[in-house]
Every structure is written in structure tokens, then in C-alpha cells.
Amino acid sequence: ARLFNSREALFGRACTEYTNLQHLRKKFEPYCTMWEAVDEWLRSNQRWMNEPFFQLDAEVIESDTTAIYRVLVKCEKAFEAQRLDGCLRVVRAILGQVSQFRPSV
């Protein structure tokens, strides 16, 4: 916001008010976190299933899987509290995949 305001000032324009930006950022954070974790899982799982076995690093796979799992559990709790059924369906679907994969690592 500061950068944008400084550029507005350079061009002699009135500065835009961004008082709600921090609030919106905080409110959007669970959704962003969920989609980043889902994306990370889908990309990583695809890579792990298709790369030659000798190129895989079990410790990295385990730590990544655990991190993704923890993030998704937190998202699940947040979305349950907010009663966001659509987000819950997504989180639970991916969480199911991660949970099924974890014992294999």
C-alpha cells in the first residue's frame, strides 16, 4: 500500500485509502494457506509418483508430507468453525489423500 501510495504521489494523484487491507489480508489467509497446501500436495505427489525411485529423497518427502498434513488439519479446524462446507470438502478430500500416503513414507 505504501509503495502504491508513493507512486500515486509521484504522479500528483490523491493517495488511495487502504485501512481495510490488513483486515482483508487476515481474513483471506486461511483460503490462501489451503490452496497453497493443496497445490503443493498435488504437485509433489505427482512428482513423487513419476520420478525415478532412486531420485527420491525419503526425508524430504516425509517432512513435506507432514508439513502439508499439519497445514490441512489447521485449515480443516478453521473451516469447521466458520461452517464453510465447500472449503471443508476440498480440505478433507486432499487430507484423505495425504493421510493415505503418509504410512507409505
Side-chain angles (χ1 to χ4, degrees):
R2 288 184 193 144
L3 176 63
F4 193 71
N5 282 155
S6 68
R7 291 182 177 163
E8 287 175 323
L10 283 172
F11 290 103
R13 302 198 60 167
C15 290
T16 305
E17 190 68 31
Y18 291 104
T19 55
N20 291 330
L21 189 59
Q22 197 64 3
H23 172 70
L24 289 173
R25 183 176 180 207
K26 187 174 182 176
K27 196 170 185 176
F28 181 73
E29 188 174 356
Y31 305 101
C32 181
T33 302
M34 176 193 69
W35 287 116
E36 286 175 344
V38 168
D39 179 61
E40 179 67 24
W41 167 253
L42 293 174
R43 289 177 190 269
S44 296
N45 189 47
Q46 181 72 18
R47 190 175 63 247
W48 299 331
M49 293 298 148
N50 293 313
E51 280 186 2
F53 188 75
F54 65 89
Q55 290 180 351
L56 299 174
D57 184 341
E59 290 178 8
V60 171
I61 294 171
E62 183 178 18
S63 67
D64 288 354
T65 302
T66 301
I68 292 167
Y69 179 82
R70 287 181 180 156
V71 167
L72 291 174
V73 168
K74 287 180 184 178
C75 289
E76 182 182 35
K77 289 177 185 176
F79 295 141
E80 278 178 344
Q82 296 176 25
R83 298 180 183 172
L84 296 170
D85 294 334
C87 292
L88 270 173
R89 281 192 299 273
V90 171
V91 167
R92 287 178 176 159
I94 301 300
L95 198 51
Q97 292 177 18
V98 175
S99 295
Q100 190 175 23
F101 180 80
R102 286 181 76 197
S104 302
V105 177

